[in-house]
Amino acid sequence: MVRGSAADPPKVTGLSPKEGPPGTKITIRGENLGISAQDVLALRICEVECLLSMEWVSSSKIIARTGSCKGVGDVILLTKSGGIGTCTVKFRGFFVQTGPLQESAVWVDEAKLFDKVQHRRVTSPLMSQEDPLGISDEATHRRIQEADLLDMFPNGTGDLHYSNFEPRWFLLENHQGASFDDLKAGLTHLQRKEVQKLEGPESFVKENLDSFTECLTTLQSLQGMILSDQKASAGNLTDNTETYISDALSKAVDLFQDVLKRREKADTTRNALNVLQRFKFLFSLPGSIEKNIQKGDIEIVINDFIRAKSLFEDSQVNIFKNVYGDVKQKILDLRQKLLHKVLQMPGTLEEQKKLLGYLNGLETSGNPAWQCLSRYQDWIISALYNCKNNHVKLEQQSGDDQPELVRTTYSTPGMPASATPVSVASNMEPSVTLRYLTPQRVLFLEEMTEILLEHLPDMNKLGQAYLAGELGKTVPFVQNKESSQEFSLLLQNVLEVYCRMLRVAFLPGTVKVPAREQTELGGWQETRLEAYTDWLPHCVRCVRSCYSSLRGIDMSEQHSAIVQQLASDVRTHCMVALFLKAAEEVKELHLQESWLLDVDDGTGATTTLPQQYENIVLECLQILQDVLSPSGPGEQMIFASKALQKDVPALCINLLQAFALALQRHTSKNTDITGHKLSSQIGESHALPNIEVPPLDKRLLIVLANCNLCMTAVLPRLIENFEKHGFPDTQGIQQCFRRIGFQVQEEYETAADLLPR
């Protein structure tokens, strides 16, 4: 039975007629009386099944004949679409004494219509009933209805010919207005007739003596004629008669033998046709099933199979058993076909629900819904592994752990930009900038997230429908709890594989799995951190979108927490990587020193180095702004972790120490600061021209001025931005920078003492 069509139960609201004997044709009216004749599974009138005589007209009208029902009862209809119905009216069934010449829809035993004495006589039964009391009731009393008499005497009748004759019924029906004296006279009349009945044979002979004498005379005359004929024929009269009859029979057989054979064959054919016509539904069912399967009308196949099963499953007739066996084989093939189709992945949610409904209606053994869920899990995990293997292969084919460098030419507004790979030594136009192609690991993250968000929500909805009993029989509470735990484990397996693969690709130090399993999850090349640092904020957004999508489909906290922890770890890794990259860039700032002085009365002669340092730090904080703050409900501030609160000051101090190192390199006597950072990337033709470096004493004064500018202006602004982004222990960072400034000042004094006078 196909579930999911939540139709209202049938409701019978009208009957016509509302009473009658067995075989009465009644019209049933109501609401939701089935969507078709195949939808009706049972029709009971006064607890008697009447489905075989039912004629379905519409969802509000059914015509049927009553069975051998007696008394008052309901008319109950059972349909596949609506279940067991209700009834607001009653039907009363009663038995009517049927005469020998009256038509009847049911079998009537006529033996009790005649007594044994009448059966011995060759006389016609009297069709009129003589009043045994011999009185007439000419009163004008209202005649009692037969229905009221049936209620008073449910097991009796007023007919004298039946064994369940009830005298009170007879008197109320025929002599309701008779007085007591009339009844006494009737009793006397009845007694007199009984006496005459006892004296019947003797008085009958006396009254008809002349007739008996005439009969005897006639019989004697016939006897004389027979004896004379016998003497004339010199033998027994019956011998010749028997001979004539035998000859006639022999000739008749010869004449009509072919006719009789054809008649016998015709009777056999007629009987076979009657059986085929009567059980046409069963004999045509195999072909009907095949046709409906080709048309895709699986619901009709299910309804026909349920009907055939209820009628012929327990049949002992061989031909019925053979045909029903063919039907079961076709249903078995259909089950296998539907099961194979539902296990083909991927499939749409609605299609899978429909197929599972068909399998449930066909009473498929096992648990197709659970097989589908398990197959769905295996397919998603396999898709994730295939995605990983493809991107690992592409990364290995590139032959370099550094992403390919491309030249991007920006077109006019509104038009897309074109990106073409260039050599690191190629010439560059002023409108051309350098960037990296998207690394394979980032593409791998995007595709993995897309696969998960495309299929895991459907798997979750399918599992919730299974646990709610929408895909099969309702599961008991204890078993449902176990199934819920097993389904939760399926979702957990998928999410853990997703998170482990991403950890092996981006956070290998956070994966704690056996070496063999880590090899299956990984296979990536060892890559320098700089190659992916710029893409880490994008990776954070991808993982966050996965987490928010899982929360949007009402995924349990247990499962969403797996991805939430991954998002938190990726955010932490992104922050650390960006700080380390910024520190490396700050260390190389001395190579970009132009020694162009900006003289100010408050800070002295400074260069652009402090401003460049501030820009690098602010750019790093700007990139980290979205990474550090929660993007939605369920996410925490990244600094809520106590372990991270201890590591963040060290990262900030490392960033400040990198700038101090850049300043200290300007205080060295043998420092080569004539190159430029970009010269190694874009070719010597585009390197900055050689710059005249001031002598050491001037450099020391410039460095000291730069350090003073940082202490008085740059550092307060940076501390303000750190506090704005929620960084802990900003006071400790400020003290650290002052300490570095004092170290630079001490180095200046030491270097100044060494200068020649």
Side-chain angles (χ1 to χ4, degrees):
M1 186 184 303
V2 181
R3 302 187 182 276
S5 58
D8 294 332
K11 183 177 181 181
V12 177
T13 58
L15 299 174
S16 177
K18 294 185 178 181
E19 60 181 9
T24 301
K25 186 176 182 180
I26 66 171
T27 301
I28 304 171
R29 298 187 182 276
E31 303 172 359
N32 306 311
L33 303 183
I35 58 177
S36 64
Q38 292 78 14
D39 190 40
V40 181
L41 296 179
L43 173 62
R44 288 183 171 271
I45 303 176
C46 297
E47 301 298 330
V48 177
E49 183 61 52
C50 303
L51 180 63
L52 295 179
S53 66
M54 181 202 72
E55 177 185 352
W56 186 87
V57 179
S58 67
S59 60
S60 61
K61 180 180 179 181
I62 290 178
I63 299 175
R65 288 189 179 271
T66 61
S68 300
C69 58
K70 187 175 182 180
V72 180
D74 293 327
V75 178
I76 301 300
L77 196 69
L78 173 63
T79 63
K80 290 187 287 295
S81 59
I84 300 177
T86 58
C87 182
T88 60
V89 293
K90 303 287 185 180
F91 181 82
R92 188 178 70 86
F94 56 85
F95 290 98
V96 175
Q97 306 302 333
T98 306
L101 299 182
Q102 294 177 333
E103 294 183 357
S104 175
V106 295
W107 173 258
V108 178
D109 185 8
E110 298 181 353
K112 57 185 179 180
L113 291 174
F114 316 105
D115 55 20
K116 296 180 180 180
V117 177
Q118 289 175 329
H119 274 281
R120 297 193 191 100
R121 299 175 182 175
V122 189
T123 59
S124 297
L126 296 176
M127 298 310 300
S128 61
Q129 179 173 284
E130 182 182 359
D131 188 2
L133 299 181
I135 60 176
S136 62
D137 187 6
E138 300 179 355
T140 59
H141 296 284
R142 185 178 64 87
R143 188 178 182 86
I144 300 179
Q145 297 294 328
E146 184 179 1
D148 298 332
L149 293 173
L150 280 172
D151 293 337
M152 290 187 286
F153 312 106
N155 298 322
T157 179
D159 196 330
L160 297 171
H161 296 93
Y162 286 87
S163 58
N164 59 341
F165 171 72
E166 177 61 49
R168 292 174 294 177
W169 181 321
F170 179 81
L171 292 176
L172 289 173
E173 184 179 19
N174 299 287
H175 303 289
Q176 180 184 3
S179 63
F180 182 72
D181 293 336
D182 292 338
L183 293 178
K184 287 176 63 177
L187 178 59
T188 303
H189 176 74
L190 180 60
Q191 291 174 348
R192 185 169 58 252
K193 291 195 66 173
E194 285 297 319
V195 172
Q196 291 177 357
K197 187 177 180 180
L198 293 176
E199 298 176 354
E202 183 178 354
S203 61
F204 179 75
V205 173
K206 289 180 181 180
E207 293 176 358
N208 299 281
L209 184 58
D210 294 339
S211 298
F212 277 101
T213 303
E214 184 179 356
C215 288
L216 288 174
T217 302
T218 303
L219 289 174
Q220 288 175 358
S221 176
L222 289 174
Q223 183 181 15
M225 294 172 64
I226 292 173
L227 290 175
S228 62
D229 291 340
Q230 185 175 2
K231 289 178 181 181
S233 61
N236 193 350
L237 291 176
T238 58
D239 292 340
N240 294 332
T241 305
E242 184 177 359
T243 302
Y244 295 150
I245 294 175
S246 298
D247 294 340
L249 178 61
S250 178
K251 292 180 181 179
V253 170
D254 293 339
L255 289 173
F256 298 102
Q257 184 175 7
D258 294 339
V259 177
L260 293 175
K261 287 183 178 179
R262 288 196 298 270
R263 178 186 174 186
E264 182 180 357
K265 185 177 181 180
D267 290 341
T268 304
T269 304
R270 188 180 299 107
N271 293 334
L273 291 175
N274 289 335
V275 172
L276 289 176
Q277 182 65 24
R278 184 177 179 184
F279 301 100
K280 180 175 63 175
F281 165 72
L282 177 64
F283 292 116
S284 62
L285 188 56
S288 175
I289 289 177
E290 198 70 36
K291 185 185 300 183
N292 289 324
I293 290 176
Q294 293 178 359
K295 292 167 57 179
D297 296 332
I298 308 299
E299 293 185 1
I300 297 178
V301 174
I302 296 173
N303 296 334
D304 291 344
F305 172 65
I306 293 175
R307 182 181 177 188
K309 182 178 179 181
S310 63
L311 295 176
F312 302 103
E313 184 178 25
D314 299 328
S315 176
Q316 300 300 322
V317 181
N318 291 332
I319 186 172
F320 292 165
K321 292 171 65 177
N322 293 336
V323 177
Y324 184 68
D326 295 341
V327 172
K328 291 202 300 184
Q329 183 61 42
K330 291 186 178 297
I331 293 299
L332 180 61
D333 296 340
L334 179 60
R335 289 172 182 165
Q336 296 296 330
K337 180 180 178 181
L338 293 177
L339 185 61
H340 177 72
K341 191 173 181 180
V342 80
L343 294 181
Q344 287 182 344
M345 298 294 170
T348 62
L349 178 63
E350 296 301 325
E351 181 69 16
Q352 288 175 326
K353 283 187 175 182
K354 183 173 68 173
L355 293 175
L356 291 174
Y358 291 158
L359 290 170
N360 180 55
L362 292 173
E363 301 177 358
T364 307
S365 59
N367 196 337
W370 182 253
Q371 294 178 18
C372 179
L373 289 172
S374 301
R375 177 75 180 104
Y376 215 151
Q377 174 214 248
D378 297 338
W379 183 87
I380 294 177
I381 292 178
S382 176
L384 296 179
Y385 273 103
N386 292 336
C387 174
K388 185 266 301 182
N389 294 334
N390 291 337
H391 287 282
V392 168
K393 186 182 298 184
L394 291 174
E395 185 183 71
Q396 293 174 352
Q397 290 175 355
S398 64
D400 189 5
D401 59 354
Q402 184 76 8
E404 188 177 4
L405 193 65
V406 298
R407 179 180 62 191
T408 303
T409 304
Y410 295 96
S411 59
T412 58
M415 300 294 294
S418 61
T420 56
V422 298
S423 170
V424 294
S426 63
N427 296 329
M428 298 180 57
E429 296 80 3
S431 61
V432 173
T433 59
L434 291 177
R435 69 177 181 85
Y436 290 121
L437 284 176
T438 305
Q440 287 298 327
R441 298 195 193 189
V442 179
L443 296 175
F444 159 69
L445 169 61
E446 293 175 349
E447 187 174 348
M448 285 268 290
T449 305
E450 182 179 353
I451 293 174
L452 188 73
L453 296 183
E454 182 179 358
H455 299 288
L456 192 64
D458 286 348
M459 177 182 173
N460 182 55
K461 292 178 181 178
L462 193 66
Q464 297 303 325
Y466 166 71
L467 296 176
E470 298 176 8
L471 306 181
K473 297 180 180 178
T474 305
V475 184
F477 175 75
V478 177
Q479 187 177 354
N480 186 43
K481 187 175 181 180
E482 297 176 354
S483 301
S484 178
Q485 295 175 352
E486 294 175 354
F487 174 66
S488 176
L489 185 60
L490 295 182
L491 296 177
Q492 181 177 342
N493 292 338
V494 174
L495 293 174
E496 286 182 350
V497 170
Y498 168 79
C499 293
R500 287 179 180 178
M501 284 186 177
L502 294 184
R503 287 182 182 276
V504 170
F506 293 95
L507 310 171
T510 63
V511 182
K512 297 180 180 179
V513 294
R516 181 183 62 82
E517 185 176 351
Q518 189 166 359
T519 302
E520 294 178 356
L521 296 173
W524 302 97
Q525 295 180 347
E526 294 184 2
T527 307
R528 293 193 301 272
L529 181 63
E530 301 84 11
Y532 300 104
T533 301
D534 293 338
W535 294 94
L536 287 178
H538 175 69
C539 296
V540 171
R541 287 192 292 271
C542 289
V543 178
R544 276 178 160 177
S545 68
C546 178
Y547 171 69
S548 61
S549 298
L550 293 180
R551 289 183 59 89
I553 62 173
D554 296 330
M555 189 73 69
S556 66
E557 294 293 337
Q558 176 186 357
H559 299 117
S560 58
I562 300 175
V563 182
Q564 181 188 12
Q565 184 60 44
L566 173 65
S568 177
D569 293 344
V570 174
R571 291 166 63 196
T572 302
H573 176 68
C574 176
M575 183 189 69
V576 173
L578 288 177
F579 266 101
L580 294 178
K581 180 185 177 182
E584 292 298 324
E585 292 180 358
V586 170
K587 289 180 182 179
E588 302 297 329
L589 282 179
H590 70 283
L591 299 177
Q592 303 181 32
E593 179 63 86
S594 62
W595 300 109
L596 298 177
L597 300 180
D598 182 15
V599 180
D600 184 83
D601 295 339
T603 58
T606 60
T607 64
T608 59
L609 206 62
Q611 185 62 40
Q612 294 180 20
Y613 166 69
E614 183 180 8
N615 292 338
I616 292 176
V617 177
L618 291 179
E619 181 181 359
C620 179
L621 293 179
Q622 183 65 28
I623 296 175
L624 287 175
Q625 181 177 0
D626 295 336
V627 176
L628 298 177
S629 59
S631 63
E635 274 195 337
Q636 296 180 350
M637 287 293 298
I638 193 172
F639 300 119
S641 172
K642 294 183 178 180
L644 191 60
Q645 290 178 2
K646 298 179 180 179
D647 297 337
V648 169
L651 292 173
C652 298
I653 292 173
N654 179 58
L655 184 61
L656 298 176
Q657 288 178 343
F659 183 62
L661 179 62
L663 294 177
Q664 290 173 358
R665 288 179 179 178
H666 286 165
T667 62
S668 175
K669 294 181 179 181
N670 301 321
T671 300
D672 183 10
I673 53 176
T674 60
H676 195 272
K677 181 179 180 181
L678 290 179
S679 62
S680 62
Q681 293 183 353
I682 61 177
E684 296 297 333
S685 61
H686 292 278
L688 293 179
N690 291 331
I691 300 174
E692 182 179 357
V693 180
L696 179 60
D697 56 346
K698 290 184 178 180
R699 294 205 311 267
L700 290 176
L701 290 175
I702 294 173
V703 168
L704 189 60
N706 286 338
C707 184
N708 183 43
L709 177 62
C710 288
M711 293 287 293
T712 58
V714 175
L715 183 60
R717 290 197 296 267
L718 292 180
I719 294 298
E720 181 182 355
N721 278 275
F722 277 119
E723 293 177 348
K724 179 181 178 181
H725 289 84
F727 278 80
D729 195 16
T730 55
Q731 297 298 327
I733 298 174
Q734 189 172 4
Q735 293 176 3
C736 174
F737 197 86
R738 290 195 181 96
R739 185 167 57 253
I740 295 173
F742 294 150
Q743 293 177 358
V744 173
Q745 187 176 0
E746 291 177 358
E747 291 179 2
Y748 165 76
E749 294 175 354
T750 303
D753 294 339
L754 298 177
L755 290 176
R757 299 296 180 181

